[in-house]
């Protein structure tokens, strides 16, 4: 184990991260992640997923709880966090997670399934390695040809205020001092930042975080961060391809800007340049994205004419809101809405779309586009219009093609 990894290991075993109960993170559903790319699995074996840097296991336990037929391998260098994760999984009766202590710089001790892992998660981990590029390159070698890697790395532009605080802490309390002695000083300075660089930012109330969270955020012994240019180079050097952002709305000029003249100018830029503008104007501390191997590609958008022949599934990351009022021997629907991941709830006023949302809200198995078209045709909706509405559902990520 290299010296940097050893320091990171010691820090996280003293302050095992993250705190909190099992959670359902964006991108938890394996079928959904695999739907983003063109290549398909050629095997009926159970899906194999690697969580590369699981910590105390809240993410992998949440994902495994909802997907009992998927096999998860969860690795970390932190023996304390792994022990807690094993106990939590055992207490919940989960038998589809295998916890292994392993170093991402070598991956020694990790049993790779035949053909590679279908999906690899690594959230907030690679940027703490002695050499993040080595870590990513190692993960690409054990990824199945059809597979995807879901990564979260720190965004340098979105963390500038935090880095200013960290520099201040380092002046007051040198990095070589014991972490336990640096925490009180760090909290004092972080509290002072509430009225300056942290005001009205995501960092507000950082000084109140539990020790494990505060240490990870403000006193970490090793981390790097990335801007868009760095990120693109990082991906290319691993011989991988960018597929999409976990939440595309964060990086959409159409969602971020309203001025027509500005939008016209921005549309003249490449997507890469658009992302560079967005990272400079908005506070985005985390870069959540999905990549695939060089022999794979992002899946192309289908046309309305192809809807009928598609198999569709309701997105597990979509929530539905239906307000009903009971009357005398009757029931009236007051409102219909939906929400995808952490986006704002969207109300539905279009009667055709509302009809589909009501249908999808109770749908737990796959169905065909043709079935949806027939349902709408019974209400007098033209096939072409029905296909366009269903295509809108795909674009909004309420449904997806597995």
């Amino acid at each position: 184990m290299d010296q940097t990894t050893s320091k990171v290991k010691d820090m996280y075993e003293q302050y095992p991260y993250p705190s909190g109960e099992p959670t359902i993170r964006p991108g938890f559903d394996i079928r959904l992640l695999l739907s983003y790319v063109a290549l398909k699995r050629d095997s009926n074996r159970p899906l194999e997923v690697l969580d590369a840097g699981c910590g105390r296991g809240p993410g992998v336990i949440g994902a495994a709880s909802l997907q009992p037929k998927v096999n998860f391998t969860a690795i970390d260098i932190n023996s304390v966090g792994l022990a807690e994760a094993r106990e939590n999984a055992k207490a919940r009766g989960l038998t589809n997670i295998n916890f292994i202590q392993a170093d991402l710089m070598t991956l020694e001790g990790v049993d790779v399934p035949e053909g590679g892992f279908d999906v690899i998660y690594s959230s907030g981990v690679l940027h703490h390695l002695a050499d993040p590029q080595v870590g990513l390159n190692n993960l690409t070698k054990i990824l199945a040809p059809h597979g995807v890697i879901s990564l979260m790395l720190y965004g340098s532009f979105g963390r500038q205020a935090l880095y200013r605080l960290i520099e201040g802490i380092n002046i007051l309390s040198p990095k070589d001092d014991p972490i336990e002695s640096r925490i009180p000083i760090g909290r004092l300075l972080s509290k002072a930042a509430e009225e300056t660089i942290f005001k009205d930012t995501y960092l507000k109330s950082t000084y109140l975080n539990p020790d494990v969270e505060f240490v990870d955020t403000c006193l970490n012994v090793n981390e790097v961060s990335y801007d868009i240019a760095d990120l693109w180079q990082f991906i290319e050097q691993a011989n991988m391809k960018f597929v999409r952002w976990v939440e595309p709305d964060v990086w959409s000029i159409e969602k971020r800007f309203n001025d027509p003249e500005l939008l016209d100018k921005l549309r003249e830029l490449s997507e890469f340049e658009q992302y560079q503008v967005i990272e400079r104007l908005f506070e985005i501390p985390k870069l959540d994205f999905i990549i695939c191997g060089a022999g794979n590609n992002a899946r192309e958008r289908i046309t309305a004419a192809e809807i009928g022949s598609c198999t569709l599934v309701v997105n597990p990351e979509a929530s539905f809101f239906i307000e009903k009022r009971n009357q005398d021997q009757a029931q009236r629907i007051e409102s219909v809405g939906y929400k995808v991941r952490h986006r704002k709830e969207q109300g539905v006023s279009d009667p055709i779309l509302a009809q589909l949302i009501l249908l999808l809200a109770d749908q737990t198995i796959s169905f065909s586009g043709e079935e949806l078209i027939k349902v709408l045709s019974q209400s007098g909706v033209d096939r072409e219009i029905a296909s366009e509405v269903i295509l809108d559902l795909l674009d909004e990520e309420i449904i997806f093609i597995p």
Side-chain angles (χ1 to χ4, degrees):
M1 183 178 291
D2 63 79
Q3 186 176 12
T4 298
T5 303
S6 181
K7 288 182 178 179
V8 172
K9 177 178 181 291
D10 290 345
M11 181 196 73
Y12 280 123
E13 289 189 338
Q14 185 179 2
Y15 297 95
Y17 178 86
S19 60
E21 293 296 312
T23 184
I24 306 304
R25 57 190 170 191
F28 78 91
D29 190 84
I30 306 308
R31 295 176 307 163
L32 179 63
L33 288 173
L34 291 173
S35 76
Y36 296 148
V37 290
L39 291 184
K40 297 301 163 192
R41 298 174 72 228
D42 57 4
S43 170
N44 291 323
R45 65 167 173 77
L47 287 161
E48 299 283 349
V49 178
L50 174 68
D51 191 323
C54 66
R56 295 162 78 177
V60 71
I61 290 174
S65 298
L66 296 181
Q67 300 167 100
K69 295 180 180 179
V70 176
N71 294 329
F72 290 84
T73 299
I75 66 175
D76 206 283
I77 57 170
N78 175 2
S79 61
V80 176
L82 281 172
E84 183 176 331
R86 287 192 186 98
E87 287 302 312
N88 284 340
K90 183 179 179 181
R92 288 168 170 76
L94 298 176
T95 59
N96 59 331
I97 314 178
N98 182 28
F99 292 97
I100 300 172
Q101 186 169 13
D103 181 356
L104 289 182
M105 292 294 291
T106 65
L107 289 183
E108 290 180 12
V110 178
D111 294 324
V112 182
E114 184 178 353
F117 287 99
D118 298 290
V119 171
I120 297 176
Y121 286 109
S122 189
S123 180
V125 179
L126 293 184
H127 47 234
H128 294 305
L129 299 185
D131 189 335
Q133 193 70 62
V134 170
L136 179 58
N137 293 351
N138 287 341
L139 294 180
T140 66
K141 295 173 185 175
I142 60 174
L143 180 70
H146 62 269
V148 298
I149 302 180
S150 179
L151 292 175
M152 187 280 279
L153 298 173
Y154 290 154
S156 52
F157 280 100
R159 294 172 67 83
Q160 288 181 347
L162 175 61
Y163 291 147
R164 290 168 64 186
L165 170 74
I166 291 172
E167 288 179 7
I169 294 174
N170 292 342
I171 293 170
L172 280 170
S173 177
K175 292 184 70 173
D176 292 337
D177 288 353
I179 293 177
E180 59 270 23
S181 70
R182 302 184 73 214
I183 293 175
I185 297 171
R187 288 191 187 281
L188 288 174
L189 203 59
S190 178
K191 185 177 182 180
E194 293 286 289
E195 298 304 319
T196 58
I197 55 175
F198 284 7
K199 192 170 185 178
D200 300 323
T201 73
Y202 75 98
L203 293 161
K204 191 172 178 63
S205 301
T206 294
Y207 75 100
L208 295 174
N209 286 348
D211 282 354
V212 295
E213 304 285 342
F214 189 83
V215 168
D216 177 75
T217 303
C218 300
L219 303 175
N220 210 294
V221 297
N222 186 66
E223 71 176 54
V224 295
S225 58
Y226 296 79
D227 60 24
I228 293 298
D230 295 331
L231 182 61
W232 255 234
Q233 183 179 25
F234 184 61
I235 295 169
E236 289 172 1
Q237 287 184 351
N239 198 28
M240 299 292 280
K241 293 178 180 176
F242 179 84
V243 175
R244 58 169 279 161
W245 300 105
V246 169
E247 181 48 83
D249 280 11
V250 172
W251 296 93
S252 167
I253 59 170
E254 309 295 337
K255 301 290 185 180
R256 287 293 200 177
F257 301 100
N258 298 314
D259 184 88
E261 184 179 358
L262 176 59
L263 278 169
D264 286 342
K265 292 291 184 182
L266 290 170
R267 292 185 186 114
E268 295 174 1
L269 302 176
S270 66
E271 283 192 341
F272 174 79
E273 291 169 323
Q274 291 174 6
Y275 299 154
Q276 287 187 303
V277 172
I278 289 172
E279 73 175 343
R280 284 161 171 80
L281 267 68
F282 297 93
E283 193 176 53
I284 308 174
K286 298 178 181 181
L287 309 179
D288 287 289
F289 59 99
I290 295 164
I291 57 177
C292 68
N296 205 350
N297 289 290
R299 193 176 196 168
E300 292 185 3
R301 182 179 185 270
I302 67 167
T303 65
E306 297 172 303
I307 288 290
S309 61
C310 289
T311 297
L312 303 169
V313 179
V314 176
N315 185 350
E317 297 188 332
S319 304
F320 301 99
F321 306 92
I322 300 168
E323 185 181 9
K324 298 179 180 180
R325 185 187 300 276
N326 290 340
Q327 298 173 298
D328 184 19
Q329 301 183 30
Q331 193 175 64
R332 170 191 170 103
I333 296 175
E334 297 287 320
S335 64
V336 175
Y338 65 89
K339 178 181 178 181
V340 179
R341 289 183 292 274
H342 300 308
R343 300 175 191 170
K344 293 181 179 180
E345 181 181 338
Q346 301 293 316
V348 176
S349 56
D350 179 83
I352 300 174
L353 180 57
Q355 183 180 350
L356 284 178
I357 293 296
L358 288 169
L359 179 65
L360 295 174
D362 295 321
Q363 196 70 32
T364 58
I365 60 175
S366 61
F367 49 92
S368 70
E370 192 62 39
E371 288 175 306
L372 286 188
I373 291 172
K374 286 182 178 178
V375 168
L376 291 177
S377 69
Q378 293 170 1
S379 300
V381 179
D382 176 82
R383 182 182 184 88
E384 184 176 344
I385 294 175
S387 297
E388 289 292 345
V389 174
I390 297 170
L391 191 62
D392 288 341
L393 291 174
L394 280 167
D395 289 341
E396 286 294 307
E397 300 188 288
I398 300 170
I399 55 177
F400 72 96
I401 302 172

